Amino acid sequence: MSKRYCVVTYGCQMNEWDSEVMAGIVEEMGYTRADRPAAADLVLVNTCCVRQTAENKVWGLLGSLGRLKRLRPEMIIAVTGCMPQQEGVAAEIRRRFPFVDLVIGTYNRHELAGLLRRVEEEGPLVAVQPEACCIPEGLPVKRESRIRAWVPVMYGCNNFCAYCVVPYVRGRERSRRPEDVVREVEGLAAAGYREVVLLGQNVNAYGRGLSPRVTFADLLEMVNGMEGLWRIRYTTSHPRDFDERLVETVARLEKVCENFHLPVQAGSDRILKLMRRGYTRDGYLNLVQQIRRAVPGASITTDIMVGFPGETEEDFAATLELVREAGFDQAFTFVYNRRRGTPAASLPDQVPEEVKSRRCQELIALQQSIGLERNRAEEGKVHEVLVEGPSATDPAKLTGRTRTNKTVVFRGGAGLAGKLVTVRITAAHLTYLEGEVVQNECRA
Ligand code: SAH
Ligand code: SF4
C-alpha cells in the first residue's frame, strides 16, 4: 500500500498555494492523500506567523502530533512555511519538538522531494536558506479545486509596513516572467479551470525589475485574452499602487471581476504614516470614489487593524469614520500583534490588550451593520454566479460566487457545478446571499 500524506495549512492564499505544490511533489513521489494527520505517514505543517494566533495554533498542533508520533514512530513530521523562516524559530522547533523530522523555510519548499529522501537516509534535517535563490517554475501542483486555481505572479514584498513580518520571511519582491504566468493560465484554461486568482503580497507592484518592464495592468490584458477562462481575480492589491490606469483596465477587461480588495489598515493619517503605508485617508477615499465611478456595482473589501502602537481614541474614531464613508462590503479585522524584528515592535505606547479588543468589537459591530445593509441592497438583483458545488451548510443546495465575490446559496442540481448560472437574489445575510436560478447559462 502506498504511503499517505496530510498537509495542514495556516495563513494566506500564498500558503494555500505552497501547500498545493507540496502535495503535488509528494504525490509525484507516490504518496496518496490522507484526510487527517492520524491517518498519515507524512504530515506537512505549513505555518503562518503574521499574527500570534496563527503561531499558537501551530505550537498546539505540534504538541498533539508528538502524541501521535509516540504511537507511530515511523511517521515523518515536517514543519514548513513562514514560521521557520524567522530568526531562531527553526532551532526552537527542534528544541521544543525534537520529534519533528524536517524543518523547511519558505525558499526551500521546492526541494521537498530531495529533503524527504535525505531524512529517510540520514535522519532529522533543517533546510532554511536565508534568501531566495530563484523563482522555481514547472513544479507539480495538486490543486484543491477543479474550477478556481491560484496562480502566483510575484513573491515577497518590499514594502516593510512597520507592523508586518512578511518582508522578513518571504524576502524581496520578485515577479514571475509574464510568459510563465501566461503559459500556466493557458494550461489551466485548457484543463477546464474557469477562474484564476493571481496571487502576490502586492500584485500591483508586479513587473518591477523585469525587463522589458511589464505592469500588472499589462499582465491582466494578457490573461484576459485566454480562451475558456471566464473569471480573473487578484489579491492583494496595495492602495498606494492602485493607479488610474489599473482602475481603467479592471473596468474595461470583461473577465476581470468587479471586486476590489484594498487593505486600508487604519483611518488616521498619523497612524497610516507610522505604519508606513504610503497613502493618506483622503487618498484612499478618493481611490474608492474613483472605483465606484468607473466600476458601478463593484464590491470593495478591506483589512483593518486596531491598536497599532500609539493609536488614540481619536485615531480609532477616524478609522470608524473612514469605514462609514467607504461603505465596505466586508472587512477582515485584526488586533495589532507585536511581531519580533519589525519596527513597530519597539515603538512606545503599545495599546493595552483590553483596549484593543474593545476597539475591535466596536469596529466589527459597525462593519457588520454596513455589510448587511450592502447585502440587503442586492435583494431582487440578478447576478452571474459561478457554481462551486454543494453548500457546506446545506448539501441540498448549491453554492457559488458572484463576480463581486459574494457567496450565493440556491437550489439546483449537482450537475451545475463549474457552470455559470443567472441567479436572482432573494434574501441577504451577513456572510452570504440566498437566491433562485433564473437561467441555466451553460457557456462552453
Ligand atoms: N500584503 C497584504 C497583507 C498581508 S498580511 C497587504 O499589504 O495588504 C494580511 C493582513 O494581516 C494585513 O492586511 C494586516 O491587516 C494583518 N496584519 C499584518 N501584520 C499584522 C500584525 N502584526 N498584527 C495584526 N495584524 C496584522
Ligand atoms: Fe506586509 Fe505591508 Fe508587504 Fe502587505 S504590503 S505584506 S502588510 S509589508
Side-chain angles (χ1 to χ4, degrees), residues 12-13 48-53 156-157 159 161-166 200-203 235-239 261-266 275 277 279 302-306 308 332-340 342 344 356:
C12 65
Q13 289 97 338
C48 168
C49 57
V50 142
R51 283 173 296 279
Q52 190 62 42
T53 40
C157 181
N159 281 327
C161 299
Y163 49 81
C164 183
V165 78
V166 170
Q201 291 302 340
N202 181 13
V203 286
T235 194
T236 300
S237 44
H238 194 297
H261 183 65
L262 290 165
V264 66
Q265 313 298 359
M275 287 179 165
R277 288 292 289 177
Y279 52 83
T302 197
D303 294 351
I304 309 175
M305 196 187 304
V306 298
F308 186 82
F332 299 91
T333 48
F334 304 104
V335 164
Y336 166 76
N337 249 206
R338 219 165 169 164
R339 300 285 75 197
R340 226 178 329 133
T342 60
K356 289 197 247 187

Short mmCIF file of all heavy atoms in Angstrom, two decimals, residues 12-13 48-53 156-157 159 161-166 200-203 235-239 261-266 275 277 279 302-306 308 332-340 342 344 356, ligand 1:
data_model
loop_
_atom_site.label_atom_id
_atom_site.label_comp_id
_atom_site.label_asym_id
_atom_site.label_seq_id
_atom_site.Cartn_x
_atom_site.Cartn_y
_atom_site.Cartn_z
N CYS A 12 -2.33 32.66 4.61
CA CYS A 12 -2.93 33.31 3.44
C CYS A 12 -3.01 32.38 2.23
O CYS A 12 -2.56 31.24 2.27
CB CYS A 12 -2.11 34.54 3.10
SG CYS A 12 -0.43 34.15 2.56
N GLN A 13 -3.51 32.93 1.14
CA GLN A 13 -3.65 32.14 -0.09
C GLN A 13 -2.30 31.68 -0.63
O GLN A 13 -2.21 30.65 -1.27
CB GLN A 13 -4.36 32.95 -1.18
CG GLN A 13 -5.82 33.17 -0.92
CD GLN A 13 -6.07 34.52 -0.30
OE1 GLN A 13 -5.20 35.12 0.30
NE2 GLN A 13 -7.27 35.01 -0.46
N CYS A 48 2.12 29.91 9.46
CA CYS A 48 1.97 31.35 9.22
C CYS A 48 2.44 32.07 10.48
O CYS A 48 2.22 31.59 11.59
CB CYS A 48 0.50 31.66 8.97
SG CYS A 48 0.09 33.42 9.00
N CYS A 49 3.07 33.25 10.31
CA CYS A 49 3.49 33.98 11.52
C CYS A 49 3.07 35.44 11.47
O CYS A 49 3.62 36.28 12.17
CB CYS A 49 4.99 33.85 11.74
SG CYS A 49 5.96 34.41 10.34
N VAL A 50 2.07 35.74 10.65
CA VAL A 50 1.62 37.13 10.54
C VAL A 50 1.04 37.63 11.86
O VAL A 50 1.21 38.79 12.23
CB VAL A 50 0.63 37.26 9.35
CG1 VAL A 50 -0.49 38.21 9.64
CG2 VAL A 50 1.37 37.72 8.11
N ARG A 51 0.38 36.73 12.59
CA ARG A 51 -0.14 37.09 13.91
C ARG A 51 0.15 35.97 14.91
O ARG A 51 0.32 34.83 14.53
CB ARG A 51 -1.66 37.34 13.84
CG ARG A 51 -2.03 38.67 13.23
CD ARG A 51 -3.53 38.80 13.04
NE ARG A 51 -4.02 37.83 12.08
CZ ARG A 51 -3.95 37.99 10.77
NH1 ARG A 51 -3.46 39.09 10.27
NH2 ARG A 51 -4.39 37.06 9.96
N GLN A 52 0.12 36.34 16.18
CA GLN A 52 0.42 35.38 17.23
C GLN A 52 -0.56 34.21 17.24
O GLN A 52 -0.17 33.06 17.48
CB GLN A 52 0.40 36.10 18.59
CG GLN A 52 0.92 35.29 19.74
CD GLN A 52 2.39 34.90 19.57
OE1 GLN A 52 3.19 35.72 19.14
NE2 GLN A 52 2.71 33.65 19.86
N THR A 53 -1.84 34.51 16.95
CA THR A 53 -2.85 33.44 17.00
C THR A 53 -2.50 32.31 16.03
O THR A 53 -2.67 31.13 16.36
CB THR A 53 -4.25 33.98 16.63
OG1 THR A 53 -4.09 34.90 15.56
CG2 THR A 53 -4.93 34.64 17.78
N GLY A 156 7.24 37.61 -2.32
CA GLY A 156 7.95 38.56 -1.46
C GLY A 156 7.27 39.92 -1.41
O GLY A 156 6.21 40.14 -2.01
N CYS A 157 7.87 40.83 -0.66
CA CYS A 157 7.32 42.17 -0.51
C CYS A 157 8.43 43.14 -0.13
O CYS A 157 9.28 42.81 0.70
CB CYS A 157 6.24 42.17 0.56
SG CYS A 157 5.50 43.79 0.78
N ASN A 159 7.65 46.33 0.88
CA ASN A 159 7.00 47.50 1.49
C ASN A 159 7.43 47.77 2.93
O ASN A 159 7.42 48.91 3.36
CB ASN A 159 5.49 47.36 1.42
CG ASN A 159 4.98 47.72 0.05
OD1 ASN A 159 5.54 48.58 -0.61
ND2 ASN A 159 3.96 47.04 -0.41
N CYS A 161 5.88 47.52 5.76
CA CYS A 161 4.94 48.20 6.65
C CYS A 161 5.45 47.91 8.07
O CYS A 161 5.92 46.80 8.35
CB CYS A 161 3.54 47.66 6.46
SG CYS A 161 2.94 47.92 4.77
N ALA A 162 5.33 48.91 8.95
CA ALA A 162 6.05 48.84 10.22
C ALA A 162 5.66 47.66 11.12
O ALA A 162 6.43 47.24 11.97
CB ALA A 162 5.85 50.14 10.98
N TYR A 163 4.43 47.14 10.90
CA TYR A 163 3.93 46.08 11.79
C TYR A 163 4.17 44.68 11.24
O TYR A 163 3.91 43.69 11.90
CB TYR A 163 2.41 46.25 11.96
CG TYR A 163 1.69 46.42 10.63
CD1 TYR A 163 1.39 45.32 9.84
CD2 TYR A 163 1.39 47.69 10.13
CE1 TYR A 163 0.79 45.46 8.61
CE2 TYR A 163 0.80 47.84 8.90
CZ TYR A 163 0.51 46.73 8.14
OH TYR A 163 -0.07 46.88 6.90
N CYS A 164 4.64 44.59 9.98
CA CYS A 164 4.45 43.34 9.24
C CYS A 164 5.72 42.51 9.10
O CYS A 164 6.80 43.01 8.80
CB CYS A 164 3.90 43.68 7.87
SG CYS A 164 3.54 42.22 6.88
N VAL A 165 5.57 41.21 9.28
CA VAL A 165 6.70 40.29 9.27
C VAL A 165 6.96 39.72 7.87
O VAL A 165 8.01 39.15 7.60
CB VAL A 165 6.41 39.18 10.32
CG1 VAL A 165 5.43 38.14 9.78
CG2 VAL A 165 7.67 38.51 10.81
N VAL A 166 5.99 39.91 6.96
CA VAL A 166 6.08 39.26 5.64
C VAL A 166 7.39 39.53 4.89
O VAL A 166 8.02 38.60 4.39
CB VAL A 166 4.84 39.61 4.78
CG1 VAL A 166 5.01 39.15 3.33
CG2 VAL A 166 3.60 38.97 5.37
N GLY A 200 -0.15 37.56 -4.99
CA GLY A 200 1.08 38.22 -4.60
C GLY A 200 0.78 39.06 -3.37
O GLY A 200 -0.38 39.36 -3.09
N GLN A 201 1.80 39.44 -2.61
CA GLN A 201 1.56 40.29 -1.42
C GLN A 201 1.15 41.68 -1.85
O GLN A 201 0.54 42.43 -1.10
CB GLN A 201 2.80 40.37 -0.56
CG GLN A 201 3.15 39.09 0.15
CD GLN A 201 2.04 38.58 1.03
OE1 GLN A 201 1.14 39.33 1.43
NE2 GLN A 201 2.07 37.31 1.34
N ASN A 202 1.53 42.06 -3.06
CA ASN A 202 1.30 43.42 -3.53
C ASN A 202 1.28 43.34 -5.05
O ASN A 202 2.21 43.79 -5.71
CB ASN A 202 2.48 44.27 -3.01
CG ASN A 202 2.39 45.71 -3.39
OD1 ASN A 202 1.36 46.19 -3.84
ND2 ASN A 202 3.49 46.42 -3.23
N VAL A 203 0.21 42.73 -5.60
CA VAL A 203 0.23 42.39 -7.02
C VAL A 203 0.42 43.59 -7.93
O VAL A 203 0.96 43.45 -9.03
CB VAL A 203 -1.02 41.62 -7.51
CG1 VAL A 203 -1.02 40.19 -7.04
CG2 VAL A 203 -2.29 42.33 -7.15
N THR A 235 -5.18 39.13 -5.78
CA THR A 235 -5.07 39.57 -4.39
C THR A 235 -3.63 39.42 -3.92
O THR A 235 -2.96 38.50 -4.35
CB THR A 235 -6.03 38.77 -3.50
OG1 THR A 235 -6.16 39.39 -2.24
CG2 THR A 235 -5.59 37.34 -3.28
N THR A 236 -3.07 40.33 -3.15
CA THR A 236 -3.67 41.53 -2.63
C THR A 236 -3.15 42.74 -3.39
O THR A 236 -1.99 42.76 -3.77
CB THR A 236 -3.28 41.70 -1.15
OG1 THR A 236 -3.72 40.59 -0.41
CG2 THR A 236 -3.90 42.91 -0.54
N SER A 237 -4.01 43.72 -3.53
CA SER A 237 -3.54 44.93 -4.18
C SER A 237 -3.34 46.00 -3.11
O SER A 237 -4.09 46.07 -2.14
CB SER A 237 -4.55 45.38 -5.23
OG SER A 237 -5.85 45.29 -4.72
N HIS A 238 -2.32 46.79 -3.29
CA HIS A 238 -1.98 47.82 -2.31
C HIS A 238 -2.60 49.15 -2.76
O HIS A 238 -2.39 49.55 -3.91
CB HIS A 238 -0.46 47.94 -2.21
CG HIS A 238 0.02 48.70 -1.03
ND1 HIS A 238 -0.28 50.04 -0.85
CD2 HIS A 238 0.76 48.33 0.04
CE1 HIS A 238 0.27 50.45 0.28
NE2 HIS A 238 0.90 49.42 0.85
N PRO A 239 -3.32 49.84 -1.86
CA PRO A 239 -3.98 51.09 -2.27
C PRO A 239 -3.01 52.12 -2.86
O PRO A 239 -3.36 52.84 -3.78
CB PRO A 239 -4.59 51.62 -0.97
CG PRO A 239 -4.65 50.45 -0.05
CD PRO A 239 -3.58 49.48 -0.47
N HIS A 261 -10.11 44.28 -3.41
CA HIS A 261 -9.70 44.09 -2.02
C HIS A 261 -8.55 45.05 -1.76
O HIS A 261 -7.45 44.85 -2.26
CB HIS A 261 -9.30 42.64 -1.76
CG HIS A 261 -8.94 42.41 -0.32
ND1 HIS A 261 -9.88 42.52 0.69
CD2 HIS A 261 -7.77 42.14 0.28
CE1 HIS A 261 -9.28 42.30 1.85
NE2 HIS A 261 -8.00 42.08 1.63
N LEU A 262 -8.84 46.08 -1.00
CA LEU A 262 -7.86 47.15 -0.79
C LEU A 262 -7.65 47.37 0.71
O LEU A 262 -8.37 48.16 1.34
CB LEU A 262 -8.38 48.45 -1.43
CG LEU A 262 -8.41 48.46 -2.96
CD1 LEU A 262 -9.26 49.61 -3.45
CD2 LEU A 262 -6.99 48.58 -3.51
N PRO A 263 -6.68 46.67 1.30
CA PRO A 263 -6.48 46.80 2.75
C PRO A 263 -6.14 48.23 3.14
O PRO A 263 -5.17 48.79 2.64
CB PRO A 263 -5.29 45.86 3.02
CG PRO A 263 -5.30 44.91 1.87
CD PRO A 263 -5.76 45.70 0.71
N VAL A 264 -6.98 48.80 4.00
CA VAL A 264 -6.75 50.21 4.39
C VAL A 264 -5.93 50.29 5.68
O VAL A 264 -5.18 51.21 5.88
CB VAL A 264 -8.08 50.98 4.49
CG1 VAL A 264 -8.96 50.47 5.62
CG2 VAL A 264 -7.83 52.47 4.67
N GLN A 265 -6.12 49.33 6.56
CA GLN A 265 -5.41 49.20 7.85
C GLN A 265 -5.83 50.22 8.90
O GLN A 265 -6.01 49.87 10.05
CB GLN A 265 -3.87 49.23 7.69
CG GLN A 265 -3.32 48.34 6.60
CD GLN A 265 -3.58 46.86 6.78
OE1 GLN A 265 -4.18 46.44 7.75
NE2 GLN A 265 -3.15 46.05 5.83
N ALA A 266 -5.96 51.50 8.54
CA ALA A 266 -6.34 52.50 9.55
C ALA A 266 -6.91 53.72 8.85
O ALA A 266 -6.68 53.92 7.65
CB ALA A 266 -5.11 52.90 10.37
N MET A 275 2.57 53.56 10.27
CA MET A 275 2.55 52.21 9.67
C MET A 275 3.37 52.13 8.40
O MET A 275 3.60 51.05 7.89
CB MET A 275 1.11 51.82 9.32
CG MET A 275 0.22 51.49 10.49
SD MET A 275 -1.43 51.08 9.82
CE MET A 275 -2.17 50.30 11.25
N ARG A 277 2.37 53.17 5.34
CA ARG A 277 1.53 52.63 4.29
C ARG A 277 1.67 53.41 2.97
O ARG A 277 1.29 52.92 1.91
CB ARG A 277 0.07 52.61 4.74
CG ARG A 277 -0.22 51.56 5.78
CD ARG A 277 -0.09 50.16 5.22
NE ARG A 277 -1.17 49.80 4.31
CZ ARG A 277 -1.23 48.64 3.66
NH1 ARG A 277 -0.26 47.74 3.80
NH2 ARG A 277 -2.22 48.37 2.85
N TYR A 279 0.02 56.08 1.87
CA TYR A 279 -1.14 56.83 1.35
C TYR A 279 -1.81 57.51 2.53
O TYR A 279 -1.53 57.18 3.70
CB TYR A 279 -2.14 55.92 0.62
CG TYR A 279 -2.58 54.71 1.43
CD1 TYR A 279 -3.60 54.80 2.38
CD2 TYR A 279 -1.94 53.49 1.27
CE1 TYR A 279 -3.97 53.70 3.14
CE2 TYR A 279 -2.30 52.38 2.03
CZ TYR A 279 -3.32 52.49 2.95
OH TYR A 279 -3.67 51.41 3.71
N THR A 302 -11.78 45.02 2.54
CA THR A 302 -10.56 45.60 3.12
C THR A 302 -10.03 44.78 4.30
O THR A 302 -10.71 43.87 4.78
CB THR A 302 -10.85 47.06 3.56
OG1 THR A 302 -9.63 47.75 3.74
CG2 THR A 302 -11.65 47.10 4.85
N ASP A 303 -8.84 45.12 4.73
CA ASP A 303 -8.29 44.64 6.00
C ASP A 303 -8.11 45.86 6.90
O ASP A 303 -7.63 46.90 6.42
CB ASP A 303 -6.89 44.03 5.84
CG ASP A 303 -6.88 42.75 5.02
OD1 ASP A 303 -7.95 42.22 4.70
OD2 ASP A 303 -5.76 42.29 4.70
N ILE A 304 -8.45 45.74 8.16
CA ILE A 304 -8.26 46.85 9.10
C ILE A 304 -7.64 46.31 10.39
O ILE A 304 -8.02 45.24 10.87
CB ILE A 304 -9.59 47.53 9.47
CG1 ILE A 304 -10.38 47.89 8.21
CG2 ILE A 304 -9.35 48.78 10.30
CD1 ILE A 304 -11.74 48.46 8.49
N MET A 305 -6.73 47.08 10.92
CA MET A 305 -6.07 46.68 12.15
C MET A 305 -6.37 47.73 13.23
O MET A 305 -6.33 48.92 12.94
CB MET A 305 -4.58 46.70 11.85
CG MET A 305 -3.72 45.98 12.81
SD MET A 305 -2.02 46.31 12.37
CE MET A 305 -1.98 45.78 10.69
N VAL A 306 -6.68 47.28 14.44
CA VAL A 306 -6.83 48.25 15.53
C VAL A 306 -5.71 48.06 16.54
O VAL A 306 -5.14 46.96 16.65
CB VAL A 306 -8.19 48.13 16.27
CG1 VAL A 306 -9.34 48.40 15.33
CG2 VAL A 306 -8.33 46.77 16.93
N PHE A 308 -2.71 49.68 16.75
CA PHE A 308 -1.31 49.91 16.39
C PHE A 308 -0.71 50.82 17.48
O PHE A 308 -1.40 51.67 18.03
CB PHE A 308 -1.24 50.59 15.01
CG PHE A 308 0.14 50.76 14.48
CD1 PHE A 308 0.79 49.72 13.85
CD2 PHE A 308 0.82 51.96 14.65
CE1 PHE A 308 2.09 49.86 13.38
CE2 PHE A 308 2.12 52.13 14.18
CZ PHE A 308 2.76 51.07 13.54
N PHE A 332 -11.88 42.44 6.91
CA PHE A 332 -11.19 41.49 7.79
C PHE A 332 -10.53 42.34 8.86
O PHE A 332 -9.72 43.21 8.56
CB PHE A 332 -10.18 40.67 7.00
CG PHE A 332 -10.83 39.87 5.92
CD1 PHE A 332 -10.98 40.38 4.65
CD2 PHE A 332 -11.36 38.61 6.21
CE1 PHE A 332 -11.62 39.65 3.65
CE2 PHE A 332 -12.01 37.88 5.23
CZ PHE A 332 -12.14 38.39 3.95
N THR A 333 -10.94 42.10 10.11
CA THR A 333 -10.47 42.98 11.18
C THR A 333 -9.45 42.25 12.04
O THR A 333 -9.61 41.07 12.34
CB THR A 333 -11.66 43.40 12.05
OG1 THR A 333 -12.41 42.24 12.37
CG2 THR A 333 -12.54 44.40 11.34
N PHE A 334 -8.41 42.96 12.43
CA PHE A 334 -7.33 42.36 13.21
C PHE A 334 -6.96 43.24 14.38
O PHE A 334 -7.02 44.47 14.29
CB PHE A 334 -6.09 42.18 12.34
CG PHE A 334 -6.35 41.38 11.09
CD1 PHE A 334 -6.45 42.01 9.85
CD2 PHE A 334 -6.52 40.01 11.16
CE1 PHE A 334 -6.70 41.28 8.70
CE2 PHE A 334 -6.77 39.26 10.01
CZ PHE A 334 -6.86 39.91 8.79
N VAL A 335 -6.56 42.58 15.44
CA VAL A 335 -6.00 43.29 16.59
C VAL A 335 -4.49 43.31 16.38
O VAL A 335 -3.90 42.26 16.09
CB VAL A 335 -6.37 42.54 17.88
CG1 VAL A 335 -5.51 42.98 19.04
CG2 VAL A 335 -7.84 42.73 18.19
N TYR A 336 -3.88 44.49 16.48
CA TYR A 336 -2.44 44.58 16.25
C TYR A 336 -1.69 43.63 17.19
O TYR A 336 -1.98 43.54 18.38
CB TYR A 336 -1.93 46.02 16.46
CG TYR A 336 -0.42 46.06 16.55
CD1 TYR A 336 0.37 45.93 15.41
CD2 TYR A 336 0.23 46.16 17.79
CE1 TYR A 336 1.76 45.92 15.49
CE2 TYR A 336 1.62 46.15 17.88
CZ TYR A 336 2.37 46.02 16.73
OH TYR A 336 3.74 45.99 16.80
N ASN A 337 -0.71 42.95 16.60
CA ASN A 337 0.14 41.99 17.32
C ASN A 337 1.58 42.38 17.12
O ASN A 337 1.99 42.59 16.00
CB ASN A 337 -0.02 40.66 16.61
CG ASN A 337 -0.73 39.62 17.41
OD1 ASN A 337 -0.50 38.47 17.18
ND2 ASN A 337 -1.59 40.02 18.32
N ARG A 338 2.30 42.42 18.21
CA ARG A 338 3.71 42.74 18.11
C ARG A 338 4.46 41.59 17.43
O ARG A 338 4.37 40.46 17.88
CB ARG A 338 4.21 42.84 19.54
CG ARG A 338 5.16 43.88 19.82
CD ARG A 338 5.20 44.02 21.32
NE ARG A 338 6.32 44.86 21.65
CZ ARG A 338 6.47 45.42 22.81
NH1 ARG A 338 5.56 45.23 23.76
NH2 ARG A 338 7.50 46.17 23.03
N ARG A 339 5.16 41.90 16.34
CA ARG A 339 5.94 40.88 15.65
C ARG A 339 7.41 41.14 15.81
O ARG A 339 7.90 42.23 15.45
CB ARG A 339 5.59 40.85 14.15
CG ARG A 339 4.15 40.55 13.84
CD ARG A 339 3.78 39.08 14.01
NE ARG A 339 3.65 38.65 15.39
CZ ARG A 339 3.66 37.40 15.78
NH1 ARG A 339 3.82 36.44 14.91
NH2 ARG A 339 3.53 37.08 17.04
N ARG A 340 8.12 40.17 16.33
CA ARG A 340 9.55 40.31 16.60
C ARG A 340 10.32 40.78 15.36
O ARG A 340 10.09 40.28 14.27
CB ARG A 340 10.10 38.95 17.01
CG ARG A 340 10.98 39.04 18.24
CD ARG A 340 11.49 37.68 18.68
NE ARG A 340 10.57 36.58 18.40
CZ ARG A 340 10.98 35.44 17.84
NH1 ARG A 340 12.21 35.25 17.46
NH2 ARG A 340 10.12 34.45 17.65
N THR A 342 10.13 43.58 13.78
CA THR A 342 9.51 44.64 12.97
C THR A 342 9.68 45.98 13.70
O THR A 342 9.76 46.01 14.94
CB THR A 342 8.00 44.38 12.76
OG1 THR A 342 7.37 44.35 14.05
CG2 THR A 342 7.75 43.07 12.04
N ALA A 344 7.61 48.35 14.38
CA ALA A 344 6.54 48.72 15.31
C ALA A 344 6.68 48.03 16.66
O ALA A 344 6.16 48.51 17.67
CB ALA A 344 5.18 48.41 14.70
N LYS A 356 -7.53 47.24 22.89
CA LYS A 356 -7.54 46.73 21.52
C LYS A 356 -8.79 45.90 21.26
O LYS A 356 -9.44 46.03 20.24
CB LYS A 356 -6.31 45.83 21.28
CG LYS A 356 -5.00 46.57 21.21
CD LYS A 356 -3.94 45.69 20.57
CE LYS A 356 -2.88 45.33 21.55
NZ LYS A 356 -1.73 44.61 20.98
N1 SAH B 1 0.10 42.02 1.64
C1 SAH B 1 -1.14 42.27 2.20
C2 SAH B 1 -1.33 41.79 3.61
C3 SAH B 1 -0.68 40.60 4.12
S1 SAH B 1 -0.96 40.26 5.80
C4 SAH B 1 -1.36 43.78 2.23
O1 SAH B 1 -0.47 44.56 2.20
O2 SAH B 1 -2.48 44.14 2.35
C5 SAH B 1 -2.74 40.25 5.92
C6 SAH B 1 -3.29 41.20 6.92
O3 SAH B 1 -2.85 40.83 8.21
C7 SAH B 1 -2.83 42.64 6.77
O4 SAH B 1 -3.58 43.33 5.82
C8 SAH B 1 -3.00 43.20 8.15
O5 SAH B 1 -4.26 43.78 8.33
C9 SAH B 1 -2.85 41.98 9.04
N2 SAH B 1 -1.59 42.04 9.79
C10 SAH B 1 -0.33 42.04 9.29
N3 SAH B 1 0.57 42.15 10.30
C11 SAH B 1 -0.14 42.23 11.44
C12 SAH B 1 0.21 42.37 12.81
N4 SAH B 1 1.46 42.49 13.20
N5 SAH B 1 -0.79 42.40 13.73
C13 SAH B 1 -2.08 42.30 13.35
N6 SAH B 1 -2.47 42.18 12.07
C14 SAH B 1 -1.51 42.15 11.13
#
